Amino acid sequence: MAGRKPQRRREFGTTRKLPSGRWQARYIGPDGQRYTAPETFETESDAQDWLNLVRADIERNAWRDPDAGAVNFEKYVLRWMEERGLAPTTVDRYDGLLRLHILPTFGGQDLDEITPPSVRTWRAERLKATGATTVAKSYRLLKAILQTAVDDDLLRSNPCRIKGAGKEEADERPTATIEQVFDLADAMGPRWRLMVLLGAFASLRPEELAELRRHSVNLDECSLRVTQASPELTNGRRVTGDPKTRAGKRTVYLPDFLLPELRRHIQWFAEKGPDGLLFIGEKGAPFRRSTFGRKWRKARTKAGMPDNFRFYDLRHTGNTLAADTGAKLKDLMVRAGQSSERAQLIYQHSTAKHQQKLAQGINAEVRQQLREAAAEGRPVAKA
């Protein structure tokens, strides 16, 4: 008996010749919808090869709707922001990066229209227009958004593939000397003098200083308790909440020379009542970045500091002084309100005793440098 002919495997999809002479391929997807190849083919064999690749994707569960990425990027971004539960300060920062650097290029495109070449071109153009640090931040944000689109099965792969593009290479920030800190404090005037000194010698962030209150101060211990922060958004609104990091809630022990400064400021300038703000403007309202910024720029010029010296840079002076006392890394992190996940820090501990010793070390160093300056005939403020 003659053997049966092997049964031919049923072809997947269909092909047809178009009036142009080229071949079209179509198939029914796993979702029951009919799909057409995004391009036509020179031969029927080429069209069938394409269908075989699609079939292979379906069999190994790697198929995705070819129209899934036809989602407007800007609309997707808005949903991405809403679903993240971001802090107001993060929303404020992302809004700026999107509005100024990302949406002007990609806002009108669909997700699947954003390609590796278009990302490379966008980054190159941004580097010509703005600073490298801003471009790195923008690239990281774009990459994170598009990675979510990959996770949502809207894209096969992330088009952000430039190695090192999200790494920031920020210029080293300037550090003020002790004399320069006191010059800045004098130039800012009596009302804002303590804010400058605490920004430097207590390593406090501007948003932490904005939320200090009378009950935050312990004059007996010469310390401050930081529990909240009030960063100011670009629209001028302040958002009060937890400090920047998990380690932000902390007690900061102050060098002794700041005690009379602290007493005088509370007596002359602090808002009344135990919950009164430590720093308020001349008209009794919380200080604003805009008005404070004008005073800061004038003081910076008067003290002979470079134009790129920011109030936040005062922290570098305090952190450097603290490090020079020989304190452990964990002690320095606690004082500055910094967090880290590095394993070697788990076994290091910072106590109140360590923090008080650190403050005493800063006190001794400041007094010594001021004595040396006075001995050399350089006029400086007394501490």
Side-chain angles (χ1 to χ4, degrees):
M1 180 184 292
R4 288 186 180 179
K5 287 185 179 181
Q7 188 174 5
R8 241 181 115 186
R9 187 181 183 192
R10 185 166 177 261
E11 294 289 354
F12 171 76
T14 61
T15 59
R16 67 168 180 161
K17 194 172 185 179
L18 300 174
S20 64
R22 295 183 65 81
W23 288 81
Q24 183 185 69
R26 295 185 295 180
Y27 68 96
I28 303 297
D31 56 0
Q33 300 296 315
R34 180 180 293 278
Y35 293 94
T36 302
E39 58 184 337
T40 58
F41 304 92
E42 187 174 350
T43 67
E44 183 180 16
S45 178
D46 291 339
Q48 191 58 55
D49 287 344
W50 183 87
L51 286 169
N52 291 338
L53 291 175
V54 173
R55 182 174 191 168
D57 283 344
I58 293 174
E59 290 177 347
R60 56 193 170 95
N61 293 322
W63 180 87
R64 55 178 290 278
D65 182 349
D67 298 325
V71 176
N72 176 258
F73 176 77
E74 185 169 2
K75 290 182 178 179
Y76 185 78
V77 166
L78 293 175
R79 190 168 76 247
W80 187 89
M81 294 274 283
E82 291 173 358
E83 294 173 349
R84 292 273 142 339
L86 301 171
T89 50
T90 304
V91 172
D92 193 53
R93 184 169 66 254
Y94 284 1
D95 277 343
L97 294 174
L98 288 164
R99 177 170 43 84
L100 298 174
H101 304 288
I102 298 177
L103 291 180
T105 299
F106 299 114
Q109 298 183 20
D110 285 346
L111 291 172
D112 56 9
E113 293 178 319
I114 302 174
T115 63
S118 68
V119 171
R120 285 196 300 272
T121 300
W122 163 77
R123 178 174 176 269
E125 291 175 350
R126 286 290 83 206
L127 285 171
K128 294 176 183 177
T130 189
T133 299
T134 300
V135 176
K137 293 179 188 294
S138 301
Y139 179 87
R140 286 204 308 272
L141 177 56
L142 176 64
K143 185 176 182 179
I145 293 168
L146 295 178
Q147 185 56 49
T148 305
V150 173
D151 296 339
D152 289 343
D153 291 327
L154 302 178
L155 293 176
R156 283 189 180 275
S157 61
N158 194 327
C160 292
R161 304 173 192 173
I162 307 172
K163 290 186 178 180
K167 185 178 180 181
E168 295 181 38
E169 297 289 350
D171 295 335
E172 186 174 348
R173 299 302 308 165
T175 302
T177 65
I178 290 173
E179 291 177 59
Q180 288 171 328
V181 171
F182 278 101
D183 287 343
L184 284 165
D186 289 341
M188 285 296 290
R191 178 176 292 275
W192 306 110
R193 174 182 173 84
L194 180 65
M195 179 175 281
V196 174
L197 298 179
L198 291 179
F201 302 124
S203 296
L204 294 183
R205 300 178 176 92
E207 62 268 25
E208 295 170 344
L209 289 162
E211 192 54 28
L212 285 178
R213 298 178 181 270
R214 282 177 176 264
H215 62 67
S216 307
V217 181
N218 187 325
L219 292 174
D220 294 332
E221 283 189 343
C222 194
S223 68
L224 297 172
R225 180 62 186 164
V226 179
T227 57
Q228 288 191 309
S230 287
E232 186 175 341
L233 305 182
T234 53
N235 62 7
R237 184 169 67 93
R238 284 201 175 276
V239 181
T240 302
D242 290 337
K244 184 177 180 180
T245 67
R246 289 178 301 167
K249 292 185 178 182
R250 65 200 188 278
T251 297
V252 180
Y253 292 89
L254 306 176
D256 290 343
F257 72 81
L258 284 179
L259 186 57
E261 301 273 1
L262 200 56
R263 292 183 186 277
R264 183 167 53 248
H265 181 89
I266 291 174
Q267 182 180 355
W268 291 358
F269 302 114
E271 193 175 26
K272 302 302 180 184
D275 291 332
L277 291 168
L278 215 55
F279 297 104
I280 56 174
E282 287 81 355
K283 296 181 180 180
F287 81 94
R288 291 295 173 190
R289 184 168 52 191
S290 55
T291 53
F292 184 84
R294 287 194 290 270
K295 295 178 183 294
W296 174 255
R297 288 188 290 274
K298 290 180 181 178
R300 184 176 59 195
T301 300
K302 187 175 180 180
M305 300 299 291
D307 290 343
N308 67 336
F309 186 81
R310 307 170 305 183
F311 184 90
Y312 199 93
D313 292 329
L314 291 170
R315 273 170 59 88
H316 293 289
T317 298
N319 291 342
T320 300
L321 282 169
D324 288 344
T325 66
K328 295 185 300 183
L329 178 58
K330 183 62 177 179
D331 291 323
L332 300 176
M333 290 169 57
V334 168
R335 183 173 185 80
Q338 297 168 329
S339 294
S340 174
E341 298 296 327
R342 288 181 292 180
Q344 64 264 36
L345 299 178
I346 294 175
Y347 304 102
Q348 295 180 331
H349 303 281
S350 181
T351 65
K353 183 178 179 180
H354 287 145
Q355 291 294 307
Q356 289 170 326
K357 184 178 179 181
L358 192 152
Q360 292 165 5
I362 294 177
N363 183 71
E365 180 67 20
V366 170
R367 290 186 182 279
Q368 176 63 27
Q369 291 197 30
L370 291 178
R371 282 195 295 268
E372 292 175 359
E376 293 174 8
R378 301 197 303 272
V380 294
K382 292 184 177 181

